[in-house]
């Protein structure tokens, strides 16, 4: 048997001295950057931001206890009137622990989560809309939850929002000048936003789709694309959402009741009518903490999407204004951290996270006060929802992680 000789392997061209030196310099620079990143990651977290998060979380728990007490009392036949508060408190502790843990991680490691988290979000969103899925839960004609039972469940849209922030930050930070082109800066991100918004909208969860598209659009704009592209992309995505999902028909009654809830005061307009009555009952100084009358089964979703109405009733215009100022201070401090972030990746992540918080806060307060149509959106740190609160606090941990490596600012 004659053995065939193996073809000689192609020999690599020997590296020149200049190329070898350049390679060594690149490797040395990479090691220096990694070492610098490790050293900077040991810096202190941004204390003002941390204090604002803890203040809002603490006030939110107090208001949740006040707003949920009557519902919990009636639902448990007086056995456990603090059930909502206890469960939310457990998730708040878990969320704070996650925030502190994530805050100590070098945020460069989050790059590795970009694609896996995005794939996971798409899979979970598909599981929600699969007909007959026993792990999907429907509440008020909307299937938005996955879980084992009514207690152990979560909204995949929360994971989708975080996935968009991390993936966009990782991808955009690598493209730099190519973000100004349609092929690299517009098309891939617009397609991704349309797909995710459509999956969330099918549930239907219009406010969740708005948050995803809004955060993505702001990150694209900050990443370097022209603002006209954002307008065109958002317009095209919104049009497709209306055509494919029939959102106009789904929200037609809500739009009508938004204009005049007294057209059907005991039906479709009842929610907004009671919300406006609740807000008006508070006056300037409020009726007092824990003394709300509307929370005694008059105002639906009083401990969830419409908890801000209870805040207005019990704390009045003054108290509600203070809480809105705390939200404003948190958002502004977050963007300040983004401006002083060490690199584009960290800056874009913080911009995405704070856009989600700011947009969600604006939409919730707008809905509760009648400024916007009812869309079913919660108030960050206040509304009942354990997994949502934990994820929100974890997102605050990302901001704290970036703040540990901020560029030094001039004194005075």
């Amino acid at each position: 048997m004659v053995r065939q000789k193996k073809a000689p392997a192609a020999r690599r061209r020997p590296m020149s001295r200049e190329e070898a030196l350049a390679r060594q310099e690149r490797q040395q620079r990479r090691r220096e950057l990694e070492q610098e990143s490790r050293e900077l990651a040991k810096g202190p977290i941004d204390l003002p931001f941390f204090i604002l998060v803890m203040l809002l979380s603490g006030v939110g728990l107090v208001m949740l206890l006040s707003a949920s007490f009557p519902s919990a009392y009636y639902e448990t036949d007086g056995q456990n009137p603090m059930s909502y508060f206890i469960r939310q408190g457990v998730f708040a502790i878990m969320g704070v622990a996650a925030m502190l843990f994530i805050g100590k991680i070098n945020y460069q490691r989050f790059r590795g989560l970009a694609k896996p988290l995005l794939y996971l979000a798409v899979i979970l969103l598909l599981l929600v809309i699969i007909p007959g899925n026993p792990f999907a839960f429907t509440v008020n004609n909307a299937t938005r939850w996955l879980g084992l039972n009514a207690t152990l469940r979560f909204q995949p849209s929360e994971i989708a929002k975080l996935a968009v922030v991390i993936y966009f930050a990782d991808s955009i930070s690598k493209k730099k000048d190519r973000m100004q082109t349609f092929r690299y800066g517009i098309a891939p991100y617009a397609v991704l936003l349309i797909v995710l918004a459509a999956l969330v909208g099918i549930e239907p969860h219009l406010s969740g789709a708005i948050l995803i598209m809004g955060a993505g659009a702001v990150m694209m704009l900050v990443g370097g694309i022209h603002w006209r592209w954002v307008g065109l992309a958002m317009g095209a995505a919104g049009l497709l959402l209306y055509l494919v999902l029939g959102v106009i028909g789904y929200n037609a009654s809500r739009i009508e009741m938004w204009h005049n809830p007294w057209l059907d005061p005991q039906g479709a307009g009842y929610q907004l009518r009671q919300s406006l009555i609740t807000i008006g009952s508070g006056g300037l100084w409020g009726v007092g903490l824990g003394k709300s009358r509307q929370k005694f089964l008059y105002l639906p979703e009083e401990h969830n999407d419409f908890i801000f109405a209870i805040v207005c009733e019990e704390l009045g215009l003054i108290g509600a204004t203070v809480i809105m100022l705390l939200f404003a201070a948190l958002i502004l401090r977050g963007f300040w951290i983004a401006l002083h972030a060490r690199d584009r990746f960290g800056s874009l992540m913080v911009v995405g996270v704070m856009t989600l918080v700011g947009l969600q806060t604006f939409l919730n307060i707008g809905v509760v006060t009648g400024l916007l149509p009812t869309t079913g959106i919660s108030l960050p740190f206040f509304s009942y929802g354990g997994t949502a609160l934990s994820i929100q606090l974890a997102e605050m941990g990302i901001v704290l992680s970036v703040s540990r490596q901020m560029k030094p600012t001039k004194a005075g």
Side-chain angles (χ1 to χ4, degrees), residues 74 229 262 331 396:
Y74 288 113
W229 287 115
W262 278 267
I331 295 165
M396 299 303 102

Side-chain angles (χ1 to χ4, degrees), residues 308 317 319-329 365:
F308 188 73
L317 176 62
T321 300
V322 170
I323 289 176
M324 287 189 289
L325 289 175
L326 286 176
F327 272 110
I365 295 177

Side-chain angles (χ1 to χ4, degrees), residues 116 220 253:
M220 291 167 64
S253 62

Side-chain angles (χ1 to χ4, degrees), residues 262-333:
W262 278 267
L263 289 175
D264 188 8
Q266 297 300 321
Y270 182 79
Q271 178 82 70
L272 180 56
R273 183 175 69 90
Q274 289 298 322
S275 177
L276 296 176
I277 292 173
T278 304
I279 293 172
S281 300
L284 184 63
W285 296 102
V287 299
L289 182 62
K291 297 181 180 180
S292 166
R293 295 179 290 271
Q294 288 291 109
K295 67 186 178 184
F296 286 93
L297 308 186
Y298 291 105
L299 174 66
E301 301 293 334
E302 77 289 343
H303 59 285
N304 201 341
D305 296 351
F306 282 76
I307 192 172
F308 188 73
I310 302 298
V311 171
C312 294
E313 183 184 14
E314 294 191 347
L315 305 183
L317 176 62
I318 301 298
T321 300
V322 170
I323 289 176
M324 287 189 289
L325 289 175
L326 286 176
F327 272 110
L330 177 74
I331 295 165
L332 290 175
R333 187 66 184 184

Side-chain angles (χ1 to χ4, degrees), residues 233-245:
M234 294 292 289
L239 178 61
L240 181 63
L241 203 62
Y242 271 81
L243 294 176
V244 175
L245 305 177

